[in-house]
Amino acid sequence: MVQDVNVYTVSEVIKKKKLCIPYYQRPYRWHAEKSVKQLLQDLIREVFIEDKTYRLGTLLFHQEYENNEKKEQLDIVDGQQRLVTLSLILHALDGKIEGILENPFEHIDSKNNLKYNHIYIKSYLATLEEREKDALKDFILHRCNFLVITVTELGEAFQLFDSQNARGKALDPADLLKAFHLREMDQTYESEKQRLVNQWEAAIDSNRLNDVIGNYLFRLRS
C-alpha cells in the first residue's frame, strides 16, 4: 500500500533513512555529455531566478517492514540515476560523500560512469565563481524538490513505474523479472544473490534476455 506521497526538498530526501540501491536496479548509466550535462544546464539556468523552486521529477521508494517495524533502509525503486547524479554534483561542490553514494556499486558500468561523471562535473563547475558554486549548492538542497512516493508493497511499486517515470528510464522486462525472483530469495546468502545478479546483468547487457522476454514470453502470455 502507499505509505506516503509528499513533496520533499533534495536536502530532506538525502537526510532520510539510509537510501539503498536494491539488487534489481540496473547499473548507474547516465551519460556525462547527455543526461548529466542537461541536468547541470537546467540547474544553473534556474539558480539565479529569485524565489524559484525547481521540480526534479518523481522518486519511488519501497519501505520494508520486519515484525511490524520499519526497517532502517529505504529501497530506491525509481530515481536512482537522478539521485546518484545529484549526489555527485553536491560532492563536487562540498566534498562530502553521503547518502546514496555510500552504497556499494559492483557493476563495472556503474564504477566507470561514477568516475567519469564526477570528473566531468568538476570540470563543468570549474567555470563558476565560488559565490556561484555556493548559490548552486543552496539551490539544489533547499529549492529543488521531488514528488516522493513511498510504498510498502514492492508489487505495487512496479505497477507505478510507467506512470511515475520522469527523467529516469523505466525498468526493462528482464529487470522486473529479476526483481520478482529476488523477492523470493530472502533465505539465500547475499553472496549467492550477488553472483546471480551479476550473471543476470551480463545476459541483459548482451541483449539476450530482453529479446526473449519482450518478443516471445510476453506475446505468449498475452
Side-chain angles (χ1 to χ4, degrees), residues 1-116:
M1 60 180 293
V2 176
Q3 183 185 66
D4 181 49
V5 180
N6 218 324
V7 174
Y8 293 101
T9 65
V10 170
S11 177
E12 290 170 327
V13 169
I14 63 179
K15 288 179 180 178
K16 281 180 175 290
K17 296 178 180 180
K18 185 177 180 182
L19 296 177
C20 295
I21 301 174
Y23 284 108
Y24 50 80
Q25 279 288 6
R26 68 174 57 83
Y28 174 62
R29 282 180 173 150
W30 261 26
H31 295 289
E33 290 81 2
K34 186 178 178 182
S35 301
V36 176
K37 181 180 180 180
Q38 185 63 59
L39 178 59
L40 284 166
Q41 289 176 335
D42 290 346
L43 293 171
I44 292 172
R45 183 184 66 244
E46 303 286 341
V47 65
F48 295 111
I49 302 176
E50 188 175 357
D51 296 326
K52 173 75 175 184
T53 59
Y54 186 59
R55 179 66 53 81
L56 288 162
T58 301
L59 300 177
L60 187 56
F61 295 150
H62 174 223
Q63 174 70 72
E64 287 195 76
Y65 281 77
E66 188 172 18
N67 298 324
N68 294 321
E69 295 289 334
K70 289 183 183 178
K71 287 189 175 182
E72 179 184 2
Q73 71 199 48
L74 276 174
D75 285 344
I76 302 166
V77 182
D78 189 27
Q80 176 208 171
Q81 309 289 322
R82 282 164 288 157
L83 279 174
V84 170
T85 304
L86 278 171
S87 297
L88 287 175
I89 294 171
L90 289 170
H91 176 255
L93 289 168
D94 61 22
K96 294 180 181 178
I97 297 178
E98 57 186 358
I100 194 173
L101 292 182
E102 296 177 308
N103 281 263
F105 292 88
E106 303 291 345
H107 198 283
I108 188 63
D109 286 358
S110 295
K111 293 178 181 179
N112 288 340
N113 286 320
L114 282 166
K115 181 178 180 180
Y116 184 81

Side-chain angles (χ1 to χ4, degrees), residues 107-193:
H107 198 283
I108 188 63
D109 286 358
S110 295
K111 293 178 181 179
N112 288 340
N113 286 320
L114 282 166
K115 181 178 180 180
Y116 184 81
N117 289 354
H118 185 250
I119 293 171
Y120 178 87
I121 290 167
K122 290 190 72 174
S123 176
Y124 196 98
L125 296 177
T127 61
L128 301 181
E129 297 178 3
E130 287 305 313
R131 65 176 184 83
E132 293 174 319
K133 292 180 182 179
D134 290 341
L136 179 60
K137 177 186 171 183
D138 182 75
F139 176 71
I140 292 172
L141 287 173
H142 305 297
R143 290 196 283 142
C144 290
N145 58 59
F146 288 101
L147 174 66
V148 180
I149 302 173
T150 305
V151 300
T152 57
E153 296 292 335
L154 189 56
E156 185 175 19
F158 293 151
Q159 293 173 8
L160 290 170
F161 263 116
D162 289 338
S163 60
Q164 297 300 333
N165 187 61
R167 279 186 183 273
K169 179 177 179 291
L171 288 183
D172 292 321
D175 290 305
L176 292 171
L177 186 59
K178 176 179 65 176
F180 281 110
H181 281 296
L182 287 168
R183 288 172 59 195
E184 304 302 321
M185 296 175 64
D186 289 341
Q187 306 304 315
T188 305
Y189 287 115
E190 296 298 306
S191 58
E192 177 66 8
K193 286 196 282 189

Side-chain angles (χ1 to χ4, degrees), residues 173 207-220:
N207 293 320
R208 298 197 310 270
L209 279 177
N210 282 328
D211 180 57
V212 172
I213 295 169
N215 294 328
Y216 297 99
L217 295 183
F218 177 76
R219 290 184 181 181
L220 285 171

